[in-house]
Amino acid sequence: MRVQVLGPLSAEVDGESVVPTAGKPRQVLSLLALYPGRVVPVPVLMEELWGTRPPQSALTTLQTYILQLRRRLGAALGGDAARRPKDVLATRHGGYLLQTDEACVDVHQYERTAAQGQAAYAEGDSGLAARRFREALDLWRGPALVDVRVGPVLEIEVMRLEESRLVTVERRIDADLRLGRHSELIAELTELTARHPQHEGVHSQAMVALYRSGRQASALETYRRLRTRLIEELGVEPSPQLQRLHQAMLAVDPALDVFAGPKPISTFDLYAA
Protein backbone atom coordinates (compact mmCIF):
# COMPACT_ATOMS: atom_id res chain seq x y z
CA MET A 1 0.00 0.00 0.00
CA ARG A 2 1.22 3.49 -0.84
CA VAL A 3 -0.37 6.61 0.65
CA GLN A 4 0.29 10.28 -0.14
CA VAL A 5 -1.07 13.17 1.91
CA LEU A 6 1.45 15.90 0.96
CA GLY A 7 -0.80 17.27 -1.74
CA PRO A 8 -4.00 15.61 -3.01
CA LEU A 9 -4.95 12.48 -1.06
CA SER A 10 -3.79 9.32 -2.80
CA ALA A 11 -3.92 5.73 -1.57
CA GLU A 12 -3.18 2.74 -3.78
CA VAL A 13 -3.02 -0.99 -3.28
CA ASP A 14 -1.21 -2.84 -6.05
CA GLY A 15 -1.59 0.24 -8.23
CA GLU A 16 -5.37 0.55 -7.73
CA SER A 17 -6.81 3.58 -5.94
CA VAL A 18 -8.75 2.95 -2.74
CA VAL A 19 -9.59 6.61 -2.07
CA PRO A 20 -13.36 7.06 -1.58
CA THR A 21 -15.24 9.84 -3.31
CA ALA A 22 -17.40 10.81 -0.32
CA GLY A 23 -15.99 13.48 1.97
CA LYS A 24 -16.18 11.91 5.42
CA PRO A 25 -14.69 8.53 4.46
CA ARG A 26 -11.82 10.51 2.91
CA GLN A 27 -11.32 12.22 6.28
CA VAL A 28 -11.22 8.85 8.03
CA LEU A 29 -8.67 7.47 5.58
CA SER A 30 -6.53 10.62 5.84
CA LEU A 31 -6.42 10.50 9.63
CA LEU A 32 -5.59 6.79 9.71
CA ALA A 33 -2.87 7.33 7.09
CA LEU A 34 -1.13 9.93 9.24
CA TYR A 35 -0.64 7.30 11.97
CA PRO A 36 0.16 4.01 10.19
CA GLY A 37 0.45 1.07 12.53
CA ARG A 38 -1.02 3.07 15.40
CA VAL A 39 -4.53 2.93 16.80
CA VAL A 40 -6.61 6.04 16.17
CA PRO A 41 -9.23 6.12 18.95
CA VAL A 42 -12.90 6.25 18.02
CA PRO A 43 -13.43 9.57 19.91
CA VAL A 44 -10.67 11.21 17.82
CA LEU A 45 -12.27 9.99 14.59
CA MET A 46 -15.64 11.27 15.78
CA GLU A 47 -14.20 14.66 16.67
CA GLU A 48 -12.67 14.91 13.20
CA LEU A 49 -15.98 14.06 11.52
CA TRP A 50 -18.45 15.97 13.69
CA GLY A 51 -16.52 18.23 16.04
CA THR A 52 -17.81 18.47 19.59
CA ARG A 53 -21.42 17.64 18.67
CA PRO A 54 -21.56 14.17 17.12
CA PRO A 55 -25.03 12.83 16.23
CA GLN A 56 -26.57 9.98 18.17
CA SER A 57 -25.85 7.70 15.23
CA ALA A 58 -22.15 8.69 15.12
CA LEU A 59 -20.72 5.31 16.08
CA THR A 60 -22.91 3.41 13.60
CA THR A 61 -22.11 5.93 10.87
CA LEU A 62 -18.38 5.68 11.56
CA GLN A 63 -18.60 1.89 11.31
CA THR A 64 -20.33 2.35 7.95
CA TYR A 65 -17.44 4.50 6.72
CA ILE A 66 -14.95 1.84 7.86
CA LEU A 67 -16.97 -0.79 5.99
CA GLN A 68 -16.92 1.35 2.83
CA LEU A 69 -13.14 1.70 3.05
CA ARG A 70 -12.74 -2.06 3.54
CA ARG A 71 -14.88 -2.73 0.48
CA ARG A 72 -12.57 -0.57 -1.61
CA LEU A 73 -9.58 -2.36 -0.12
CA GLY A 74 -11.19 -5.71 -0.89
CA ALA A 75 -11.75 -4.73 -4.52
CA ALA A 76 -8.10 -3.70 -4.84
CA LEU A 77 -6.80 -6.82 -3.10
CA GLY A 78 -8.89 -9.09 -5.30
CA GLY A 79 -8.61 -12.74 -4.37
CA ASP A 80 -5.44 -12.38 -2.31
CA ALA A 81 -6.24 -14.63 0.65
CA ALA A 82 -3.06 -13.57 2.44
CA ARG A 83 -4.25 -9.96 2.72
CA ARG A 84 -7.79 -9.39 3.85
CA PRO A 85 -9.35 -5.90 4.13
CA LYS A 86 -9.72 -6.39 7.90
CA ASP A 87 -6.00 -7.07 8.11
CA VAL A 88 -5.15 -3.82 6.32
CA LEU A 89 -7.74 -1.66 8.08
CA ALA A 90 -7.86 -3.38 11.44
CA THR A 91 -10.19 -3.01 14.40
CA ARG A 92 -8.59 -2.68 17.81
CA HIS A 93 -10.03 -2.06 21.23
CA GLY A 94 -11.29 1.49 21.17
CA GLY A 95 -10.25 2.36 17.64
CA TYR A 96 -8.91 1.47 14.21
CA LEU A 97 -5.50 1.33 12.59
CA LEU A 98 -4.05 1.16 9.12
CA GLN A 99 -1.66 -1.77 8.90
CA THR A 100 1.01 -0.43 6.61
CA ASP A 101 4.64 0.49 7.05
CA GLU A 102 5.51 4.13 7.73
CA ALA A 103 7.82 4.04 4.71
CA CYS A 104 4.72 3.65 2.52
CA VAL A 105 3.32 7.02 3.62
CA ASP A 106 4.91 10.12 2.08
CA VAL A 107 4.65 12.26 5.22
CA HIS A 108 6.90 9.87 7.13
CA GLN A 109 9.39 9.76 4.24
CA TYR A 110 9.39 13.55 4.32
CA GLU A 111 9.97 13.80 8.07
CA ARG A 112 12.75 11.19 8.02
CA THR A 113 14.58 12.86 5.11
CA ALA A 114 14.18 16.34 6.62
CA ALA A 115 15.66 15.03 9.89
CA GLN A 116 18.65 13.70 7.94
CA GLY A 117 19.08 17.15 6.44
CA GLN A 118 18.92 18.79 9.84
CA ALA A 119 21.54 16.38 11.21
CA ALA A 120 23.87 17.16 8.29
CA TYR A 121 23.31 20.88 8.78
CA ALA A 122 24.11 20.66 12.49
CA GLU A 123 27.35 18.87 11.61
CA GLY A 124 28.30 21.65 9.21
CA ASP A 125 27.83 19.61 6.00
CA SER A 126 25.85 22.23 4.09
CA GLY A 127 26.06 20.37 0.76
CA LEU A 128 24.51 17.19 2.13
CA ALA A 129 22.00 19.19 4.15
CA ALA A 130 20.81 21.08 1.08
CA ARG A 131 20.40 17.82 -0.88
CA ARG A 132 18.43 16.10 1.88
CA PHE A 133 16.19 19.12 2.41
CA ARG A 134 15.48 19.23 -1.34
CA GLU A 135 14.67 15.53 -1.40
CA ALA A 136 12.23 16.04 1.48
CA LEU A 137 10.56 19.03 -0.18
CA ASP A 138 10.29 17.21 -3.52
CA LEU A 139 7.81 14.82 -1.86
CA TRP A 140 5.28 17.64 -1.65
CA ARG A 141 2.80 17.83 -4.55
CA GLY A 142 0.85 20.81 -3.22
CA PRO A 143 -0.71 21.86 0.12
CA ALA A 144 -1.24 18.92 2.46
CA LEU A 145 -4.59 17.14 1.91
CA VAL A 146 -5.59 19.90 -0.48
CA ASP A 147 -8.61 17.95 -1.79
CA VAL A 148 -9.92 16.80 1.61
CA ARG A 149 -12.44 18.85 3.57
CA VAL A 150 -10.68 18.65 6.92
CA GLY A 151 -12.26 18.72 10.36
CA PRO A 152 -10.74 20.03 13.62
CA VAL A 153 -8.24 17.17 14.07
CA LEU A 154 -6.94 17.12 10.51
CA GLU A 155 -6.86 20.91 10.44
CA ILE A 156 -4.27 20.88 13.21
CA GLU A 157 -2.26 18.20 11.39
CA VAL A 158 -2.33 20.20 8.16
CA MET A 159 -1.17 23.34 9.97
CA ARG A 160 1.66 21.37 11.59
CA LEU A 161 2.77 19.94 8.26
CA GLU A 162 2.66 23.28 6.46
CA GLU A 163 4.69 24.89 9.24
CA SER A 164 7.20 22.04 9.04
CA ARG A 165 7.41 22.54 5.28
CA LEU A 166 8.21 26.24 5.69
CA VAL A 167 10.87 25.48 8.32
CA THR A 168 12.46 22.94 5.95
CA VAL A 169 12.47 25.52 3.16
CA GLU A 170 14.17 28.00 5.51
CA ARG A 171 16.82 25.46 6.52
CA ARG A 172 17.47 24.54 2.90
CA ILE A 173 17.93 28.21 2.04
CA ASP A 174 20.29 28.62 5.01
CA ALA A 175 22.35 25.71 3.67
CA ASP A 176 22.39 27.24 0.18
CA LEU A 177 23.45 30.61 1.58
CA ARG A 178 26.32 28.93 3.41
CA LEU A 179 27.32 27.42 0.04
CA GLY A 180 27.42 30.89 -1.56
CA ARG A 181 24.31 30.48 -3.72
CA HIS A 182 22.90 33.86 -2.74
CA SER A 183 22.20 35.15 -6.26
CA GLU A 184 20.33 31.96 -7.18
CA LEU A 185 18.03 32.40 -4.20
CA ILE A 186 16.78 35.93 -4.82
CA ALA A 187 13.79 35.00 -7.02
CA GLU A 188 12.64 32.30 -4.59
CA LEU A 189 13.03 34.59 -1.59
CA THR A 190 11.12 37.37 -3.35
CA GLU A 191 8.18 34.98 -3.68
CA LEU A 192 8.51 33.76 -0.08
CA THR A 193 8.51 37.27 1.39
CA ALA A 194 5.39 38.07 -0.65
CA ARG A 195 3.66 34.91 0.59
CA HIS A 196 4.76 35.47 4.19
CA PRO A 197 4.77 39.26 4.56
CA GLN A 198 5.36 39.24 8.34
CA HIS A 199 7.85 36.36 8.53
CA GLU A 200 11.13 37.74 9.83
CA GLY A 201 13.12 34.59 9.01
CA VAL A 202 12.57 34.65 5.27
CA HIS A 203 13.00 38.43 5.21
CA SER A 204 16.39 38.11 6.91
CA GLN A 205 17.39 35.52 4.31
CA ALA A 206 16.25 37.80 1.50
CA MET A 207 18.25 40.67 2.99
CA VAL A 208 21.42 38.57 3.22
CA ALA A 209 21.01 37.14 -0.30
CA LEU A 210 20.52 40.61 -1.77
CA TYR A 211 23.39 42.11 0.25
CA ARG A 212 25.84 39.39 -0.81
CA SER A 213 24.74 39.87 -4.42
CA GLY A 214 25.84 43.50 -4.34
CA ARG A 215 22.32 44.85 -3.86
CA GLN A 216 22.65 46.62 -0.53
CA ALA A 217 19.90 49.15 -1.33
CA SER A 218 17.43 46.37 -2.11
CA ALA A 219 18.37 44.57 1.10
CA LEU A 220 17.72 47.73 3.14
CA GLU A 221 14.45 48.31 1.30
CA THR A 222 13.33 44.79 2.22
CA TYR A 223 13.88 45.65 5.87
CA ARG A 224 12.08 48.99 5.52
CA ARG A 225 8.99 47.37 4.01
CA LEU A 226 8.87 44.69 6.70
CA ARG A 227 9.30 47.23 9.50
CA THR A 228 6.52 49.42 8.09
CA ARG A 229 4.21 46.43 7.82
CA LEU A 230 4.90 45.22 11.36
CA ILE A 231 4.32 48.69 12.83
CA GLU A 232 1.14 49.39 10.85
CA GLU A 233 -0.44 45.94 11.21
CA LEU A 234 0.81 44.73 14.59
CA GLY A 235 2.13 47.83 16.33
CA VAL A 236 5.57 46.27 16.95
CA GLU A 237 9.13 46.84 15.81
CA PRO A 238 11.19 44.07 14.16
CA SER A 239 12.98 41.72 16.55
CA PRO A 240 16.32 42.82 18.06
CA GLN A 241 18.34 40.38 15.92
CA LEU A 242 16.72 41.66 12.73
CA GLN A 243 17.44 45.21 13.80
CA ARG A 244 21.07 44.25 14.42
CA LEU A 245 21.23 42.62 10.97
CA HIS A 246 19.95 45.88 9.49
CA GLN A 247 22.55 47.89 11.39
CA ALA A 248 25.29 45.50 10.26
CA MET A 249 24.33 46.14 6.65
CA LEU A 250 24.40 49.89 7.20
CA ALA A 251 27.87 49.51 8.73
CA VAL A 252 29.03 47.08 5.99
CA ASP A 253 29.97 44.51 8.65
CA PRO A 254 32.56 42.06 7.21
CA ALA A 255 30.84 39.22 9.10
CA LEU A 256 28.02 39.38 6.54
CA ASP A 257 30.39 38.10 3.87
CA VAL A 258 31.12 34.87 5.73
CA PHE A 259 29.21 32.04 4.09
CA ALA A 260 30.12 29.26 6.51
CA GLY A 261 31.45 30.08 9.93
CA PRO A 262 32.67 27.59 12.53
CA LYS A 263 29.19 27.21 14.02
CA PRO A 264 26.21 26.39 11.76
CA ILE A 265 23.40 28.80 12.58
CA SER A 266 20.36 30.10 10.75
CA THR A 267 20.57 33.36 8.84
CA PHE A 268 18.02 34.84 11.22
CA ASP A 269 20.35 34.16 14.15
CA LEU A 270 23.44 35.79 12.63
CA TYR A 271 23.06 38.66 15.04
CA ALA A 272 21.22 37.00 17.89
CA ALA A 273 22.21 38.28 21.30
Side-chain angles (χ1 to χ4, degrees):
M1 187 173 189
R2 177 170 176 77
V3 185
Q4 296 173 297
V5 299
L6 302 179
L9 175 63
S10 173
E12 296 181 348
V13 174
D14 296 336
E16 183 173 340
S17 175
V18 296
V19 176
T21 55
K24 289 192 183 299
R26 291 167 72 90
Q27 288 174 261
V28 173
L29 177 59
S30 299
L31 193 51
L32 292 170
L34 286 171
Y35 300 99
R38 294 165 57 185
V39 175
V40 179
V42 166
V44 174
L45 289 163
M46 287 186 174
E47 181 184 356
E48 167 59 25
L49 295 172
W50 296 289
T52 58
R53 302 181 66 182
Q56 289 186 346
S57 61
L59 181 58
T60 301
T61 304
L62 174 60
Q63 291 169 343
T64 300
Y65 296 152
I66 296 294
L67 179 60
Q68 291 174 5
L69 290 170
R70 283 175 175 160
R71 284 174 178 167
R72 297 189 71 91
L73 285 167
L77 292 169
D80 188 349
R83 293 186 298 170
R84 299 178 303 166
K86 286 188 176 182
D87 295 328
V88 179
L89 204 176
T91 302
R92 293 290 184 270
H93 179 69
Y96 300 92
L97 78 157
L98 198 62
Q99 293 273 38
T100 189
D101 192 271
E102 286 189 350
C104 298
V105 184
D106 62 351
V107 65
H108 296 283
Q109 295 178 341
Y110 158 75
E111 290 174 340
R112 183 174 60 254
T113 307
Q116 293 171 353
Q118 185 59 45
Y121 185 82
E123 293 172 1
D125 191 340
S126 299
L128 178 59
R131 289 195 298 274
R132 290 292 179 265
F133 287 140
R134 280 192 175 84
E135 290 169 6
L137 293 166
D138 284 345
L139 293 169
W140 287 75
R141 299 166 295 119
L145 295 172
V146 65
D147 59 347
V148 176
R149 185 175 181 179
V150 301
V153 180
L154 281 177
E155 182 179 22
I156 293 172
E157 291 294 334
V158 167
M159 290 174 59
R160 177 184 68 82
L161 288 170
E162 292 295 341
E163 182 63 27
S164 172
R165 182 187 192 182
L166 180 57
V167 169
T168 301
V169 169
E170 286 185 82
R171 290 294 170 263
R172 196 222 81 224
I173 291 173
D174 275 332
D176 282 337
L177 283 171
R178 289 170 58 80
L179 292 167
R181 297 170 178 166
H182 35 270
S183 297
E184 303 167 33
L185 294 168
I186 291 175
E188 179 183 8
L189 285 165
T190 299
E191 179 184 357
L192 282 171
T193 53
R195 288 182 179 273
H196 306 279
Q198 297 176 353
H199 196 296
E200 292 194 352
V202 295
H203 278 77
S204 69
Q205 292 177 322
M207 289 169 64
V208 170
L210 287 164
Y211 182 91
R212 290 177 178 169
S213 299
R215 298 173 58 179
Q216 182 184 26
S218 296
L220 296 174
E221 176 62 17
T222 298
Y223 176 84
R224 187 197 66 78
R225 287 197 303 268
L226 174 63
R227 180 175 183 269
T228 299
R229 190 176 296 114
L230 291 175
I231 291 173
E232 291 180 350
E233 297 179 6
L234 300 178
V236 298
E237 290 279 351
S239 64
Q241 56 259 54
L242 197 62
Q243 293 184 44
R244 286 191 286 269
L245 176 62
H246 176 244
Q247 290 299 318
M249 289 182 174
L250 290 173
V252 194
D253 188 339
L256 286 170
D257 296 323
V258 177
F259 301 151
K263 181 181 178 182
I265 58 172
S266 70
T267 302
F268 185 58
D269 291 330
L270 277 173
Y271 289 89

